[in-house]
Amino acid sequence: MRMDKFLKVSRLIKRREVAKELCDHGNVKINGKIAKPMTEINENDIVVIEMGRHTITAKILDVRPFANKEQSSGMYEILSDVVS
């Protein structure tokens, strides 16, 4: 699944366009490498999202094309959530 779509489906980012912009600006990393919006993600990948002073690190647990609100929280595990 594409990175920008995963961020929206998992509800880590509310809008896909915002997820795409974060990726385009180099604010999203997968396993330590800068992710483009079309970068494919897999289970057990580590994703780091930087939004201004807010940094979220999450481990991907499940990749699915659609998810309701209850299912989306099970798609990832927050490893750290830091505001500097």
Side-chain angles (χ1 to χ4, degrees):
M1 174 183 289
R2 290 173 54 110
M3 179 50 132
D4 58 345
K5 183 172 182 181
F6 175 81
L7 292 174
K8 192 230 183 269
V9 170
S10 67
R11 292 176 170 76
L12 280 167
I13 305 290
K14 291 188 179 192
R15 292 181 27 233
R16 189 168 177 180
E17 184 62 31
V18 174
K20 182 182 177 308
E21 288 176 10
L22 286 172
C23 291
D24 285 339
H25 290 98
N27 295 338
V28 179
K29 296 179 183 173
I30 299 176
N31 299 325
K33 297 179 182 177
I34 294 177
K36 302 273 187 194
M38 70 272 197
T39 302
E40 289 292 319
I41 61 157
N42 300 303
E43 293 178 8
N44 297 318
D45 283 347
I46 303 297
V47 177
V48 178
I49 305 165
E50 298 173 355
M51 296 178 284
R53 300 180 336 161
H54 195 177
T55 303
I56 299 171
T57 304
K59 180 178 180 180
I60 307 304
L61 301 177
D62 190 16
V63 178
R64 57 178 81 171
F66 302 101
N68 61 28
K69 191 173 184 179
E70 293 78 29
Q71 293 170 332
S72 65
S73 62
M75 293 177 70
Y76 60 90
E77 173 186 358
I78 298 292
L79 301 176
S80 72
D81 189 354
V82 180
V83 177
S84 56

